[in-house]
Amino acid sequence: MQLRKVTAASAAVLALGLTATACGSGDKDDAAGSGGKITIGIKIDQPGLGLKTPEGKFTGFDVDVATYVAKELGYDAKDIDFVETKSADRETAIERGDVKFIAATYSINDERLQKVDFAGPYLLAHQDVLVRADDDSIKSPEDLNNKKLCSVTGSTSAKNIKDKLAPKAKLQNYGGYSECLTGLENNAIDALTTDDSILAGYAAQEAHKGKFKLAGLKMTNENYGIGLKKGDAALKKKIDAALTKMVSDGAWDKAVETNFGPANYKNDEAPKIGNVVK
């Protein structure tokens, strides 16, 4: 008799769980996580895009996009496990299944498409330079000739300028963007270069408001996409649908304003799904 009671109770619990699932905002995409959770790769050191605060909170445009997509897949914010994925580790993390998808200033290019698939793009960024707010001397890439140009060690952004656009630029490599910003503020350098979205995120920080501005040079096109496992067409379709909805309901514009607005970032309109600008 006791066995029957336990079995009946278990059946009741199971039925209640199924009912609750049916009444939810949407069925979870079983392929997008496990144990009721979804693991998403982000950057944790880029203000305005992907940043982990000292309190352990995750903020930024990429975080907002990833959270919106996860919700459309059936996951509440509490169901999301954000993990750091550094640039060099992104493809490996996807291939190993460490994350279900990545939203981390992840530019779509032919080399990466050999290893992973991309949903989106969800943001069109451009290589730009950040200068002091009172500096109007840099209006074109050529104006960087004889200027002290900073980027981080290992970055291709500054090399792109020196090799192709301003060969007389005085390239200085620092350990991190924060060091470049300090140099820019103290007149030790004249400009900092990387993607405009990243520059806007730093400039929008409370400590930097009003000190810097973007030159608006748009030297390259960087199509940020959501990286996922190669061949997962079903998940790609669902993420594309979520991104389309995010744009149409105004959440995309709100996320841009919240994360980049303080830097007066002149972003492009939200790109159409599948439209990779060369």
Side-chain angles (χ1 to χ4, degrees):
M1 294 293 293
Q2 184 65 28
L3 179 59
R4 287 198 189 98
K5 288 181 181 179
V6 172
T7 303
S10 299
V13 171
L14 177 60
L16 181 60
L18 291 173
T19 302
T21 301
C23 294
S25 60
D27 293 339
K28 285 183 172 63
D29 181 351
D30 291 337
S34 61
K37 295 284 188 177
I38 183 170
T39 304
I40 302 173
I42 58 167
K43 295 288 184 67
I44 64 169
D45 58 354
Q46 290 183 341
L49 286 154
L51 181 70
K52 185 177 183 180
T53 69
E55 298 77 27
K57 182 180 179 182
F58 297 96
T59 66
F61 182 73
D62 284 348
V63 174
D64 289 346
V65 169
T67 301
Y68 189 100
V69 169
K71 181 180 179 182
E72 290 301 302
L73 293 175
Y75 293 87
D76 293 328
K78 62 181 175 58
D79 298 325
I80 302 172
D81 288 330
F82 285 119
V83 296
E84 180 183 15
T85 48
K86 296 181 179 179
S87 296
D89 301 331
R90 288 178 296 204
E91 286 84 35
T92 301
I94 291 172
E95 291 172 337
R96 282 197 312 235
D98 296 342
V99 296
K100 195 57 191 180
F101 66 78
I102 291 177
T105 59
Y106 203 0
S107 296
I108 302 170
N109 63 37
D110 292 338
E111 181 181 353
R112 290 169 180 162
L113 283 168
Q114 300 302 311
K115 299 179 179 180
V116 300
D117 280 341
F118 284 95
Y122 63 88
L123 183 72
L124 178 59
H126 309 276
Q127 185 182 343
D128 201 352
V129 294
L130 193 71
V131 298
R132 287 178 291 276
D134 60 355
D135 185 355
D136 295 320
S137 66
I138 300 174
K139 301 182 183 300
S140 70
E142 291 75 19
D143 292 332
L144 291 167
N145 282 308
N146 299 312
K147 297 284 189 180
K148 290 172 285 186
L149 178 66
C150 183
S151 193
V152 299
T153 302
S155 169
T156 60
S157 299
K159 187 175 184 299
N160 180 55
I161 290 177
K162 190 166 180 62
D163 289 352
K164 301 176 182 179
L165 302 170
K168 294 182 180 179
K170 299 174 183 177
L171 180 59
Q172 299 187 27
N173 287 318
Y174 283 34
Y177 292 119
S178 295
E179 296 174 46
C180 285
L181 283 168
T182 300
L184 186 58
E185 185 175 7
N186 297 335
N187 294 300
I189 61 169
D190 299 308
L192 160 60
T193 186
T194 188
D195 293 356
D196 54 6
S197 57
I198 297 174
L199 296 174
Y202 278 101
Q205 285 184 292
E206 190 65 37
H208 299 144
K209 285 182 181 177
K211 295 180 181 179
F212 310 112
K213 65 182 180 182
L214 280 79
L217 303 186
K218 295 188 175 183
M219 292 175 280
T220 63
N221 295 320
E222 306 295 337
N223 300 271
Y224 290 173
I226 291 183
L228 62 147
K229 185 164 287 189
K230 191 78 174 172
D232 195 342
L235 182 58
K236 182 179 185 297
K237 183 177 180 181
K238 290 179 181 180
I239 295 177
D240 279 341
L243 294 173
T244 300
K245 182 178 178 182
M246 186 178 186
V247 173
S248 66
D249 68 11
W252 188 90
D253 286 323
K254 182 179 179 181
V256 168
E257 178 59 31
T258 298
N259 294 293
F260 303 129
N264 294 317
Y265 173 51
K266 307 301 182 186
N267 63 284
D268 288 58
E269 292 183 359
K272 289 181 171 59
I273 297 301
N275 183 24
V276 178
V277 180
K278 300 294 185 180

